[in-house]
Amino acid sequence: MAAVSNWLSRAVRGLRAFAYPENGMRPKVGLALGGGFARGIAHLGVLRVFEENEIPIDFIAGTSVGALIAAAYASGASLDYMENQGVLTTFHDFGRWTLSRYGMASNLRLESFLHRFTSAQYFHETKIPLSIVATDLITGKSVHFTDGEIGPALRASCAYPGLFMPVEYRGHFLADGFLTQAAPAEAVRELGAELVVSVYLDPGLLEERPRNTIEVISRSFSIMQQHLVQPWRLQTDILIEPNVADVLWHEFSKTPQLVASGKAATEAVLPQIQAAVRKNQPEAANETARAAIQK
């Protein structure tokens, strides 16, 4: 029985080598997670499908809430734990109302919120190469953080204009990364990704008039983005768009629904992702599989 078990183990390894060879024949996969406040919990459903289907993630980048999810996941946080925390999350976990000419709240608490998921404080501590995108309000260009402390870069990426105060860091005056990259495809491509899968969280149309200042700001930015050329789309090979339009920015309690939306949207393009990842030299892949089985 032991011999049969060992043979089966080698066979499975051989089949995996055929599906996703690790010898450089498959493209390096980069996952770009976009922003969207509570809607970002849909990213957990995306990651769940990647895990269940053993799709490799060589690089990961995040904008706004996508940066939070990317940083936690890249550092080794489990999806189960992240989902459990998602249901419990409230604005006060990461924001504090304050008086400032630059915004209505501070997001300084976001750094300690990140440490609920990971003890990693620096980019070099992550298990997956990570990039966090913010926007320089002076130059109007995106800034990609890939080294140093994760916390300040994360706060900058999540500094939603009008709500959170901008973050001064490394000589930049920074606001939310979604202003320049609604999904950070350019950032993950810069890390070295050859196949870029982007997750975009479209807020959709409002069914009624905005109820407060935050919804007015959010809707205004959404309208502007619909009418602008979005370079990140040109850097995207496969696009995932979870249906999250009926979820408001603060509705973290809808975590199960959001995760399900992320899973459904990813499963819809899963054959496309799998075909792209398997794009390699067929004969060489077959030889790799046969060699693993015959050893």
Side-chain angles (χ1 to χ4, degrees), residues 105-267:
S106 162
N107 69 0
L108 189 61
R109 292 176 178 172
L110 190 57
E111 292 193 38
S112 58
F113 183 67
L114 173 64
H115 293 148
R116 292 187 187 181
F117 307 99
T118 174
S119 60
Q121 297 185 49
Y122 298 92
F123 280 85
H124 70 259
E125 296 177 283
T126 62
K127 299 176 181 179
I128 302 172
L130 168 69
S131 182
I132 289 178
V133 176
T135 301
D136 188 315
L137 286 173
I138 308 301
T139 66
K141 296 180 179 180
S142 65
V143 181
H144 304 167
F145 293 101
T146 59
D147 63 1
E149 292 185 78
I150 297 174
L154 176 61
R155 288 198 300 111
S157 184
C158 295
Y160 195 83
L163 174 58
F164 292 117
M165 296 182 293
V167 174
E168 293 188 64
Y169 183 54
R170 288 188 177 180
H172 299 282
F173 195 58
L174 300 162
D176 203 304
F178 91 93
L179 292 171
T180 45
Q181 291 188 49
E186 296 174 54
V188 80
R189 183 79 70 180
E190 190 177 87
L191 283 175
E194 297 163 322
L195 172 67
V196 175
V197 180
S198 293
V199 186
Y200 176 60
L201 305 173
D202 189 343
L205 299 175
L206 291 181
E207 295 183 356
E208 56 188 31
R209 57 193 261 174
R211 296 168 299 176
N212 53 52
T213 302
I214 297 172
E215 289 188 7
V216 169
I217 295 171
S218 176
R219 183 61 188 145
S220 298
F221 281 125
S222 295
I223 292 171
M224 283 192 297
Q225 288 190 336
Q226 289 171 7
H227 295 277
L228 294 174
V229 175
Q230 300 179 41
W232 66 267
R233 289 184 180 271
L234 302 177
Q235 297 288 341
T236 297
D237 297 303
I238 298 174
L239 180 62
I240 299 173
E241 295 187 90
N243 181 10
V244 295
D246 60 339
V247 178
L248 299 178
W249 70 276
H250 62 281
E251 291 186 307
F252 295 95
S253 60
K254 291 186 176 180
T255 288
Q257 173 187 330
L258 287 161
V259 172
S261 295
K263 288 188 68 174
T266 308
E267 287 167 349

